[in-house]
Amino acid sequence: MRSEITRVSRRSLLAAAGVLAAAPLASDAYAQSNGASPIIANAPQAGVSKRRKLGSLEVSAVGLGVQNMSRTYQMTVPTRTEMHNIIRAAFDHGVTFFDAAEAYGPHEVERILGEGIEGFRDKVAITSKFGWNIDLETGKRLPGLNSKPDHIKLAVEGMLKRLRTDRIDLLYQHRVDPRVPIEDVAGAVGDLMAEGKVLHWGLSEMGLNTLRRAHAERPVTAVQSEYSMLWRGPEESVLATCEELGIGFVPWSPLGVGFLTGAIDEATRFAPGDIRAVETRFSPDNLTNNLALVALVKEWGKRKNATPGQIALAWLMAQKPWIVPISGTTQMAHMLENTGAASIEFSPSEVAELNAAVAAIEVQGQRLPDAVLAYSGVEAAPRS
């Protein structure tokens, strides 16, 4: 019986935009492992017992992003069996929400996830994403985007094989293709739903008008976007729109590419290929200012007997009951740490105090280069 348990790759974005060809993403958790968040005695690591709803899809309060399990930002290839162990241990600790995409690898991360969840597939919800122009057979990244309906259907067939499953619990459009009406995309997804191959669908970093059009055509379960204390863009209008429409929200890069774990200080400089080297929020001119956020999460970590990263994740979950962060990792210890964040609770007065402190820090610098940001907030072509 089918279960009703019921982060886009910046590497993909950079490659697609021609900014940093073939350079993998520095994952939040990998950054933790190199100058990681300090070990806090008795910090929560009990796993995830709480559940949340993205629309009608029920999942664990914290998900696991498997994006970097095929290759880290330092071009190293993690041990495959250890990645499987992390996926299985996450499930053992209550994680029922696993996030992948055809663009991650490309293709290879879906294979790793499919292998890792074998034995408990029907007890978890898995996601994948289409939308980048990727050769269906070879996985070669081609220029631009492709959300043509026929391509979507073929892409999903490949996903199902790699994930070793007969359905995808939540299928996202990774980025909006401005050439294709979102109604046509929704129609293709609807055909897949009618066949039982997709159970829910969502969008990532879309324009708001496109979100409304998509939801009117076929109810959207979740929106995925970057969101953390370091980048709070969704607070401007996306979260309010999701709340209005009853759509869940899934923050990717919830730890700010490792920044909110305390892994970066004023002396930090980034090697070639590290995405943070081209994000001006991490430039020497801006770091000193932005490190006020790190001081804040460290202070609250002491108050709550938690790590800075756990405070950052718990803060996201405190914003709305329908927010489910997906923190990525290639390290077992960091998976346990991240899932432990679900047990941290803030009183209403603590939420108000922490929100005020976060709002008082004006982050300087952009989250991504202009050529990459051009793929976010895009509106789909008008319906023909």
Side-chain angles (χ1 to χ4, degrees):
M1 179 180 295
R2 289 182 177 174
S3 168
E4 283 295 330
I5 297 193
T6 63
R7 183 178 54 43
V8 78
S9 166
R10 287 195 229 187
R11 175 171 67 234
S12 305
L13 290 169
L14 289 168
V19 177
L20 194 62
L25 168 67
S27 74
D28 290 339
Y30 197 87
Q32 282 177 278
S33 69
N34 292 270
S37 56
I39 300 299
I40 304 295
N42 301 318
Q45 289 193 352
V48 185
S49 60
K50 297 178 182 178
R51 296 290 180 265
R52 292 189 164 206
K53 280 195 172 182
L54 302 170
S56 62
L57 178 66
E58 184 174 284
V59 297
S60 53
V62 176
L64 177 64
V66 299
Q67 174 181 326
N68 277 25
M69 287 190 172
S70 66
R71 187 178 63 171
T72 72
Y73 83 106
Q74 290 185 330
M75 308 298 283
T76 60
V77 177
T79 304
R80 201 177 192 89
T81 54
E82 180 59 15
M83 299 305 98
H84 295 160
N85 289 340
I86 290 171
I87 290 168
R88 291 162 186 159
F91 172 70
D92 289 340
H93 285 80
V95 175
T96 65
F97 191 41
F98 295 84
D99 182 83
E102 66 166 349
Y104 302 162
H107 290 177
E108 194 61 21
V109 162
E110 290 175 323
R111 295 188 183 100
I112 293 170
L113 179 58
E115 294 159 3
I117 62 173
E118 192 169 17
F120 53 85
R121 165 63 186 100
D122 290 342
K123 297 180 180 180
V124 299
I126 58 174
T127 81
S128 198
K129 310 178 194 73
F130 66 86
W132 292 103
N133 192 14
I134 296 171
D135 185 277
L136 297 169
E137 298 299 326
T138 66
K140 181 180 179 181
R141 198 181 306 282
L142 304 173
L145 301 164
N146 190 343
S147 279
K148 295 177 181 178
D150 289 345
H151 182 84
I152 293 171
K153 294 178 181 180
L154 292 172
V156 168
E157 292 298 333
M159 292 175 186
L160 294 173
K161 291 177 182 177
R162 292 186 293 272
L163 289 164
R164 301 186 178 190
T165 186
D166 62 348
R167 82 280 185 192
I168 295 168
D169 297 276
L170 175 54
L171 178 71
Y172 295 100
Q173 184 185 41
H174 213 154
R175 287 295 184 274
V176 171
D177 187 337
R179 304 168 302 169
V180 181
I182 198 63
E183 292 81 5
D184 293 353
V185 174
V189 173
D191 291 342
L192 291 164
M193 288 180 169
E195 296 174 11
K197 295 176 180 177
V198 172
L199 303 186
H200 301 265
W201 85 299
L203 291 87
S204 178
E205 304 238 348
M206 69 291 117
L208 284 181
N209 186 50
T210 295
L211 176 59
R212 290 184 178 278
R213 288 166 54 195
H215 188 68
E217 193 72 15
R218 184 163 302 280
V220 172
T221 292
V223 162
Q224 189 174 115
S225 174
E226 180 174 2
Y227 181 37
S228 70
M229 288 182 178
L230 186 62
W231 192 72
R232 297 167 56 206
E235 295 177 0
E236 295 177 7
S237 52
V238 174
L239 292 180
T241 303
C242 287
E243 187 160 36
E244 174 194 342
L245 300 177
I247 298 171
F249 189 85
V250 179
W252 58 265
S253 201
L255 297 174
V257 200
F259 184 74
L260 297 170
T261 69
I264 295 170
D265 62 23
E266 294 93 337
T268 301
R269 298 296 180 266
F270 303 101
D274 187 325
I275 186 168
R276 293 167 296 187
V278 293
E279 295 180 11
T280 58
R281 59 187 175 179
F282 297 128
S283 69
D285 292 342
N286 293 325
L287 257 182
T288 300
N289 173 84
N290 297 342
L291 281 167
L293 279 175
V294 176
L296 180 65
V297 291
K298 286 181 176 180
E299 173 193 340
W300 275 83
K302 292 177 182 177
R303 288 175 59 169
K304 305 296 284 187
N305 196 41
T307 67
Q310 288 176 330
I311 295 298
L313 293 172
W315 174 82
L316 281 170
M317 289 183 277
Q319 301 309 301
K320 299 291 181 182
W322 35 266
I323 289 178
V324 179
I326 46 167
S327 48
T329 186
T330 59
Q331 303 290 321
M332 183 72 77
H334 298 146
M335 180 277 292
L336 295 172
E337 176 185 329
N338 294 338
T339 59
S343 65
I344 298 172
E345 295 184 356
F346 297 109
S347 69
S349 62
E350 286 177 325
V351 172
E353 180 185 353
L354 183 52
N355 282 349
V358 172
I361 300 170
E362 184 175 353
V363 175
Q364 296 178 359
Q366 290 191 155
R367 66 179 179 123
L368 290 166
D370 288 336
V372 182
L373 289 174
Y375 286 95
S376 295
V378 171
E379 301 289 0
R383 190 175 208 168
S384 56

